[in-house]
Structure formats: structure tokens, C-alpha cells
Amino acid sequence: MPLDRRSVLASGVTGVAASLLLAGAPPAAASAAPSAVAYRSVQRQRQAPTDAATGSSAIAAITPVGARITTLVVDVGVPLLACADLTRAVAVTVQGPDGTAPVPVARALTRDEPSPGEPAGGRYVLLELAGPPEQLPQPYRLVRGNTEPMLFREHAADGSIVTRPRVQATSTPVPLGEELVLTVELRTLVGADGAQVRERSRQVTGRSVREPELGQFDEGVLAGPQEGNTLAYRIRRPSRTSRPAPLVLFLHGSGQVGTDNLAHLLSSRGAVGALEHDDPYVLAPQLPSVFDPFDPYDEASGRGGGIHWQSANRRRLLAGLVRRVVEEETRVDRRRVYVVGLSRGAEGALGLVLDEPQLVAGAVLLSGREAGTVEWMSGRATPDLLRPATGTPLWFFHAVQDAVSPVEGTRVNVDLLRGLGHPSLRSTELGYEQRGDSGIVNDSAHNSWDLAFNSPDVWQWLLSQRRRTVR
């Protein structure tokens, strides 16, 4: 059965907007998007603090391949003699949805607190797990979504516009909880009083996973002018309060679209990489659907439309969110507002630079497309389209073998900007044949962000940029 574009568009939308689209009528005010976002509210929900808890627990970190358990803290129950190396006295196995397997331990030591640190006499044994991130235990199950094809506009070989089906799959993280069990076997240990503590077993489940990086982020929702026209986000505020701090905006790709307000934080190091080099604000919004039901494409007029960060409505929401945070968070250093975007997020990042040329102090653009791209139609960018970006330092990354978002899109952007005499422009092209090439630890040449997010040079370059004037 041929796909109907209208119903396909609605498949990424829920509630009132979906019913209107299925009935053939656009949402209210969709045909005439407002020139500015009329905000109703910004809501924030503070997460529980990450104070060290008593008892046994697991500590998870955000790695290039998602959330992984990197450390176990085992409460033995009695004080132990301080020891810096207990690796041979412990063994760990993990039981989860994929079965049971041993987990190598890189280091084990005693601690007086249930948290990482130097060896000290106490009732806790700290175990640092070994191996590359993809082999470490996962605290989440990834649930696939958007697996049915949708119809998108793109250019045919002769330049005409056609619609073709494509899948825009997403991955939503769901905590494993009791499905994840880590068993720690402790051999004979020495107590603080010199007596031997006999072998015993301890279990740590997914219910006791602590996530220090994720715990730094609050949740929020920005409301636009129409009912349901919202943009959920996470925000991290600096731990220091004595001086202005930069703001790093992170924009996710197509795989993290959803309403969980979580997938975009856990899929890569994009939202947390800057924390290793500064104490910044970090703002990470999440798109609720592929298509924008508040700015649908009108075939009669040829206006509206776009996916992910492309639509005029979403670009206004994004710019409005950044400006709202800059205004409300009085410690934001207005000279140091940055944007980082991967894949479709690189489109959004470049769009923000073009829409707000006096706001952004620097941008890192990873595996993106040509400026002006709509759905899968190439942007056919021009110097006039890109001219507003010439005042913002930009660093592009792309793998030559990228088959998802071909490198030609980045090359067009870079060539046009160079032709305009852009004074602070960088472009890095990577080579990829197999996992590990150019620092890419995933299985796709589309992933140029593993290298960038794990490079101190990239973050330090970005965080060193400053606008001379602010608006």
C-alpha cells in the first residue's frame, strides 16, 4: 500500500495535533507562524541530589556509546584494613537481558566512603571495571522507535522534487532496574582489627545505579504560542557561583528524537564533554517528533515544512530558549554562548548561527548538511545565505566515507564561507574504514563526533572563543 504523506507526518505526533493532521486540517495558527515566540512558562524540576548513599551501589558514566557502569561500590559491613590493590581478591559477573558474563576488574581498593577516591580503611570496596565502554554493563535498555518508513521530499537526479520513504529510527533508554544484577564475589579480606573477613557475595542491581553526570541536569519545558507547541530540555548550572560562566548548547541528531528528555544526554558525550574543561551552563533540548506539526508543508503555497531543527517554528523556539536562559540565568557570560550539533543537530546549530549572528561566540558542527537543507532536499546554499555566519568562529567535522550525510554538504558550506573570507574557520575531514579509525568507536562513518567530543583541543578551542560585543 503506498504511503500517505499526511498520515506519515502524523505518525511522529501525538494528541490534538495528530488528530487534526489525520483529519486533513492543520493545527491552529500553523499556516501563519508568528514572527516571535509567545512564551507561557518555563518549568523546571530539580532532580534528586547525587549525595553518596550508604550501602552497595553502581556508578554509571556517559560514554561515547551511551551510559555504562564503570564502578561498583560494595558495602562489606565491617571496617577493613586500608588496601590499595584488591584486584585478585574480587570477581564480578553481570546478569542482564543478554545473559550472564564475567566483568574484568581494573582496580579494587578499600574506601571509607561509598564514592571514588584514594585508598582508605573503611567498610567499602571500590571496584573500577575494565574494558572498552561497549563491553561494560549497560544500565538501560534501548527501545527502538520510528521504525516504519516516512515520506520525505528530496531532489531526484534531474533536480525535480520527489517524495521517497525513509526510516528515521530512534532509541529511547529505559532503565533495566531489577533486570540488571551485578554479583561481586569477595575472597578473604583483612579487617581493620587484623581479623580475617571470610569470603562473601554481594549483589548490586540496576535499582542502585548512581549517575553523577546526569544528576547535574535539571528538566525544563519551554512553551510556545500554541497549545502543545513545546520544547523539552535539560539544563546544567555551574557549581561555582562567584563568576560568569559560559553556556554550551548541545543539539542532538535524528536518533534521539522523543519525549523522554533523556536520550539526547546519554547517546554521546556532546552534552557533558565541556564539563571536563570548564564549569559551564549546558543546555540540551530534545525534539518531540521528526516533522513539526505546528509548521507543516503546504503543497498549494510551497511554504512551511521541514524536519528536526529545520522548520521556522522550531528555529524560533530554539533561539527563544537560548535567549530566555541567557536573560534569566544572570551568571551566563553573554560573550561565551556556544553551540555544538551533530548530524541533524549540526543543521540546527548552523541555523542558529545564521538566525542569531550576534548571539553565538563559536560553533562545532559535526556530520551536518548543506545550509538551507529542507528534509532531504539539498540546500543549494548561496553566499548570501551563509554571510551572517562569517562573524562566528566555526569548526566543521565530517568523515569522507559518510553515507548518511555525505561530506559534500560540509564542503559546500566551507567553500562558500572561505569565499566570503571567513576569518576563523576550521574544517577537519576524517577517514573511516572500520571501528577505531580516526577515534570513531562506533560502527558508522557518519559518526565524526566521537573524535571531536573526546578531543581536549576541540573543547578548549570552543571555550576560548569570545564575542567582542553582545546584544
Side-chain angles (χ1 to χ4, degrees), residues 31 296-304:
S31 60
Y297 172 63
D298 181 69
E299 294 186 12
S301 65
R303 296 179 179 177

Side-chain angles (χ1 to χ4, degrees), residues 13-133:
V13 186
T14 59
V16 176
S19 64
L20 288 171
L21 285 166
L22 287 168
S31 60
S35 59
V37 177
Y39 302 106
R40 291 200 307 271
S41 65
V42 176
Q43 302 174 349
R44 296 190 180 94
Q45 178 181 348
R46 187 71 180 175
Q47 286 192 337
T50 58
D51 294 338
T54 59
S56 301
S57 62
I59 300 175
I62 300 173
T63 78
V65 294
R68 293 293 187 273
I69 294 174
T70 59
T71 306
L72 296 177
V73 180
V74 176
D75 184 356
V76 176
V78 296
L80 299 174
L81 183 71
C83 187
D85 184 6
L86 291 171
T87 307
R88 288 168 292 279
V90 298
V92 178
T93 58
V94 58
Q95 180 180 348
D98 297 327
T100 302
V103 180
V105 176
R107 187 182 182 210
L109 58 130
T110 56
R111 287 283 294 150
D112 56 350
E113 297 180 353
S115 59
E118 294 302 312
R123 59 187 289 173
Y124 303 100
V125 176
L126 183 88
L127 299 93
E128 298 174 358
L129 304 184

Side-chain angles (χ1 to χ4, degrees), residues 44 123 143 160 188 228 249 298 333 345 351 432:
R44 296 190 180 94
R123 59 187 289 173
V143 178
S160 63
T188 302
L249 171 69
D298 181 69
D333 186 343
Y432 179 91

Side-chain angles (χ1 to χ4, degrees), residues 330-354:
T330 57
R331 289 185 292 126
V332 172
D333 186 343
R334 295 178 179 232
R335 300 172 304 155
R336 302 179 67 199
V337 177
Y338 311 112
V339 59
V340 176
L342 64 86
S343 191
R344 291 292 184 180
E347 289 183 20
L350 184 55
L352 182 65
V353 171
L354 297 174

Side-chain angles (χ1 to χ4, degrees), residues 65 132 134 430-445 447 450-451:
V65 294
E134 57 268 29
L430 314 178
Y432 179 91
E433 297 293 342
Q434 60 185 350
R435 177 190 286 261
D437 286 354
S438 297
I440 299 174
V441 301
N442 287 274
D443 291 322
S444 171
N447 183 335
D450 278 351
L451 172 65

Side-chain angles (χ1 to χ4, degrees), residues 122-179:
R123 59 187 289 173
Y124 303 100
V125 176
L126 183 88
L127 299 93
E128 298 174 358
L129 304 184
E134 57 268 29
Q135 295 179 11
L136 295 176
Q138 301 185 51
Y140 294 90
R141 173 192 294 106
L142 295 180
V143 178
R144 298 278 285 176
N146 281 5
T147 56
E148 296 298 321
M150 300 178 179
L151 287 177
F152 299 93
R153 290 177 290 160
E154 60 184 77
H155 288 127
D158 62 2
S160 63
I161 298 175
V162 298
T163 57
R164 293 195 175 113
R166 291 177 182 264
V167 173
Q168 289 280 267
T170 59
S171 296
T172 301
V174 177
L176 287 172
E178 297 287 353
E179 293 183 68

Side-chain angles (χ1 to χ4, degrees), residues 57-394:
S57 62
I59 300 175
I62 300 173
T63 78
V65 294
R68 293 293 187 273
I69 294 174
T70 59
T71 306
L72 296 177
V73 180
V74 176
D75 184 356
V76 176
V78 296
L80 299 174
L81 183 71
C83 187
D85 184 6
L86 291 171
T87 307
R88 288 168 292 279
V90 298
V92 178
T93 58
V94 58
Q95 180 180 348
D98 297 327
T100 302
V103 180
V105 176
R107 187 182 182 210
L109 58 130
T110 56
R111 287 283 294 150
D112 56 350
E113 297 180 353
S115 59
E118 294 302 312
R123 59 187 289 173
Y124 303 100
V125 176
L126 183 88
L127 299 93
E128 298 174 358
L129 304 184
E134 57 268 29
Q135 295 179 11
L136 295 176
Q138 301 185 51
Y140 294 90
R141 173 192 294 106
L142 295 180
V143 178
R144 298 278 285 176
N146 281 5
T147 56
E148 296 298 321
M150 300 178 179
L151 287 177
F152 299 93
R153 290 177 290 160
E154 60 184 77
H155 288 127
D158 62 2
S160 63
I161 298 175
V162 298
T163 57
R164 293 195 175 113
R166 291 177 182 264
V167 173
Q168 289 280 267
T170 59
S171 296
T172 301
V174 177
L176 287 172
E178 297 287 353
E179 293 183 68
L180 175 67
V181 179
L182 292 146
T183 301
V184 181
E185 298 291 342
L186 299 171
R187 299 181 177 88
T188 302
L189 304 174
V190 179
D193 59 1
Q196 289 189 333
V197 181
R198 294 298 178 184
E199 181 176 350
R200 61 187 65 198
S201 176
R202 289 287 187 274
Q203 287 189 335
V204 182
T205 73
R207 290 177 57 86
S208 61
V209 173
R210 291 187 278 145
E211 300 180 83
E213 292 168 314
L214 181 60
Q216 298 181 50
F217 286 82
D218 297 333
E219 295 185 58
V221 178
L222 177 74
Q226 303 101 349
E227 182 69 29
N229 186 12
T230 60
L231 188 62
Y233 64 88
R234 294 278 188 137
I235 184 169
R236 184 262 184 192
R237 296 177 175 85
S239 57
R240 297 189 299 266
T241 60
S242 59
R243 58 176 178 167
L247 169 64
V248 178
L249 171 69
F250 170 65
L251 300 182
H252 65 79
S254 61
Q256 291 74 55
V257 169
T259 57
D260 58 290
N261 206 1
L262 179 62
H264 56 312
L265 292 187
L266 298 184
S267 65
S268 72
R269 294 283 297 170
V272 297
L275 306 186
E276 299 176 10
H277 308 280
D278 210 318
D279 185 25
Y281 288 90
V282 178
L283 182 61
Q286 184 189 34
L287 292 173
S289 59
V290 175
F291 286 92
D292 183 355
F294 297 93
D295 194 4
Y297 172 63
D298 181 69
E299 294 186 12
S301 65
R303 296 179 179 177
I307 58 176
H308 304 297
W309 304 101
Q310 295 172 348
S311 75
N313 169 63
R314 285 176 168 174
R315 287 173 71 153
R316 282 192 293 270
L317 281 174
L318 180 61
L321 174 61
V322 177
R323 288 208 168 274
R324 171 60 71 94
V325 170
V326 169
E327 291 168 4
E328 289 194 345
E329 302 289 343
T330 57
R331 289 185 292 126
V332 172
D333 186 343
R334 295 178 179 232
R335 300 172 304 155
R336 302 179 67 199
V337 177
Y338 311 112
V339 59
V340 176
L342 64 86
S343 191
R344 291 292 184 180
E347 289 183 20
L350 184 55
L352 182 65
V353 171
L354 297 174
D355 293 341
E356 299 281 348
Q358 299 303 315
L359 177 63
V360 180
V364 177
L365 310 165
L366 308 142
S367 305
R369 291 165 177 80
E370 182 180 343
T373 293
V374 178
E375 298 187 27
W376 259 270
M377 298 183 295
S378 64
R380 298 179 177 176
T382 65
D384 286 342
L385 177 62
L386 282 164
R387 196 178 305 277
T390 55
T392 303
L394 305 174

